[in-house]
Structure formats: structure tokens, C-alpha cells
Amino acid sequence: MATLSGSLTSSPKKEMEIAVALGGGGSKGNAHIGVLRFLEKEGFRIRAIAGTSFGGLVACFYAAGFNPDEIEEVFAGVDQSKMYRRAKDETSSLLGLTKVDGWLHESLGQLTFEDLLIPCAVMAVDLRTSNEVLIRHGPVRRAILSTIALPGIFPSFLSEELELIDGGLLNPVPVAVARSLAPSLPVVAVALNPPLGEPPHSRGLPLLDTLPEALAARLGNFRLAKALDVFMRSIEIGGRQIAELRLQIEKPEVIIRPAVSGIGVLERVDVHQVVKLGEEAARARLPELLRATTWSAGLSRRMFQRPTWTSRTSDRLADGAK
């Protein structure tokens, strides 16, 4: 595992401390790395972090002590064309997470949330109760597999009590969760969803770009590919509506929106280029970031409290989870 990030060891002025909420978005979530890098360079110190889906993946790596440069290196080294192949024992899903599980084991080992260096939580949804599930205890690897389990595309994560899928279904950008981890600090939300009214990006069949061009073109016309395209665009439309409503209600102090709307959820990307988009978006919000960390802004937060997350269900994975 990487050594402790400088962002987690220094003793900055309190007014530069923040909490961060990282939204879901699949491949476009690599932009989170650029946002974190920019925040560190400008002297902001992340004291708590929450994430959904790919945002949860990045959040866990960061809380484990990987700095943004190290996260970028690890993610860029992944062979995206082979990561989602389904194993024989993975049922009820188009793609699989077995290789992702192996990669997480190599990268994070047996880390638990209790081992992390800053408070961290990720979101999932329980299919059996229709409730959000906040995960902040137990094995980090299991939590990541739960929060990224895009329904129908990846297998749900099963335990005796829960059947967990991607948290973005109900909580695309977990602002109130981040605030509950550090109630006195401003929350910086990184939203990857396109603006309302913008047409959803056509997804196509995941990983077609791993095949010869002629074969990929033929498969792309199959009924399954077209049906999946409709499903993925529909999920995106619902997700962006929920994200916007929750952002209005939970009121993060700063919202950063990287220009990643043209990237598909499972699209093969140049990680380094997507990271740069995150840096650019954070740079554009620097004045707001500075205002949010002033003494007067802190006084205003204490006087007018904003919503924090309250649990209606389990906040941990059962010990018997597989």
C-alpha cells in the first residue's frame, strides 16, 4: 500500500479544512483525482470524505493514504478491456466484478474502515428494503464492490441481511453523508452528472471497443446492445434528476462540475486526460472554495445548520457477506 499522503499528515490552519463528497459516474469518476490534486496543491486539507459508486472507489483509496498522484498511477495501470469480464459463478449480470475484486485485494489488502486515516463512508442501496445503506465499518473491499454494483450490469453484493447495488440509484452525490462525518467543515461536492436538459450520452454495449472494429459494428446493431443503450440512458436521466434535487436540499458549500458529460459510464478512457478535466473544474471554483473556508463562512454554518445524513437501515456489511 502507498505511504501516508502529505495531505493527511500536515497541520494546516483550521479554516482550510474541508469535507468532500464524490459523486458517481463510472469512468468519468477519474476526474475526482484531479479535483483532489488541485485541492491539495492550493492548501486545502480534506478531513473527511464520502463517495458513491466510482466516487466511493476514489474516496476509499484516498482515505487509505494514497495521494492523488498515486491513485492516478494505480488507475491508469488497469487494463480496462479485461476488468469487467464475467466469471462463471457471477449470475444475474451482464458483466462481472471478479477481476475488480482481485485488483482491490492487491491494492488495498484486508483494510477495514477502522484502518483508514480519515473518516470515510460510501453509499449503496439495499434491493430488499429499497433503503440507502451507508457503509463506514468493516472491509473496505466489500464496501467498494457494493457501491459500484450498477444494477443489471454488475452482480449485486449479497449477505444474509442485504442485497446491495450502486448507491447512485438514490444518492448520487453524498453531501449530507460527508457533512455528518465532519459537521463543522464546509462540504465540497464533485458532481459528474450532466446539467438538466442536456441529452443523455449514448452508451452502447460496454467494452465493444475491445473487439475488432467490423465485429464491434455488427454487434452494436444487435437488439441487446440497443436495449442496453436505452437502459443506460434512462438510468442517467433518473440519476441526474435525483442528484440535482439532493444538491438543492443538502446544499454543499461548493459544487465542482468537471466537463465529463460526454464520457460513458463504462467507456475506456485515457485516465490522465480525465484527471486533467477534474483539475480544470476545481481551478474554476477556487474563489468559491476560498470563501467557503473563511472565518465568517464558518460562523454562518454554525448559525444555520445544513442537513446531515441519518440512517434508516444498517450502516455496515454483515460479517457473513461474501
Side-chain angles (χ1 to χ4, degrees), residues 149-201:
L150 189 65
I153 306 301
F154 295 129
S156 54
F157 191 89
L158 298 173
S159 73
E160 293 181 0
E161 300 174 355
L162 306 169
E163 184 176 359
L164 300 180
I165 58 173
D166 193 320
L169 204 65
L170 293 178
N171 198 342
V173 190
V175 173
V177 173
R179 186 173 288 124
S180 70
L181 297 176
S184 66
L185 300 182
V187 176
V188 177
V190 186
L192 305 177
N193 54 292
L196 292 176
E198 181 178 311
H201 181 65

Side-chain angles (χ1 to χ4, degrees), residues 96-206:
L97 290 175
T98 297
K99 287 188 177 295
V100 175
D101 187 17
W103 172 68
L104 290 173
H105 187 270
E106 291 177 3
S107 301
L108 299 174
Q110 300 297 327
L111 274 181
T112 68
F113 279 84
E114 291 71 23
D115 298 321
L116 300 181
L117 303 176
I118 58 174
C120 176
V122 303
M123 297 305 301
V125 172
D126 181 20
L127 276 175
R128 298 174 184 173
T129 64
S130 303
N131 284 332
E132 297 175 38
V133 177
L134 181 149
I135 308 173
R136 57 183 175 185
H137 300 290
V140 172
R141 179 171 56 87
R142 294 177 181 176
I144 293 173
L145 292 174
S146 301
T147 194
I148 66 173
L150 189 65
I153 306 301
F154 295 129
S156 54
F157 191 89
L158 298 173
S159 73
E160 293 181 0
E161 300 174 355
L162 306 169
E163 184 176 359
L164 300 180
I165 58 173
D166 193 320
L169 204 65
L170 293 178
N171 198 342
V173 190
V175 173
V177 173
R179 186 173 288 124
S180 70
L181 297 176
S184 66
L185 300 182
V187 176
V188 177
V190 186
L192 305 177
N193 54 292
L196 292 176
E198 181 178 311
H201 181 65
S202 181
R203 304 304 181 197
L205 188 65

Side-chain angles (χ1 to χ4, degrees), residues 34-68:
V35 172
L36 297 177
R37 176 185 291 153
F38 180 82
L39 292 173
E40 283 196 353
K41 287 182 177 179
E42 292 299 320
F44 298 95
R45 295 296 181 260
I46 299 168
R47 296 308 186 193
I49 191 165
T52 292
S53 196
F54 202 101
L57 171 66
V58 175
C60 288
F61 268 80
Y62 189 81
F66 289 79
N67 65 42

Side-chain angles (χ1 to χ4, degrees), residues 21 132 170-171 173-179 187 242-253 305-309:
E132 297 175 38
L170 293 178
N171 198 342
V173 190
V175 173
V177 173
R179 186 173 288 124
V187 176
I242 293 173
E244 291 305 314
L245 288 172
R246 294 198 68 145
L247 288 171
Q248 291 177 24
I249 294 170
E250 298 178 3
K251 301 182 186 302
E253 278 69 16
Q305 293 186 352
R306 299 189 178 192
T308 58
W309 195 84

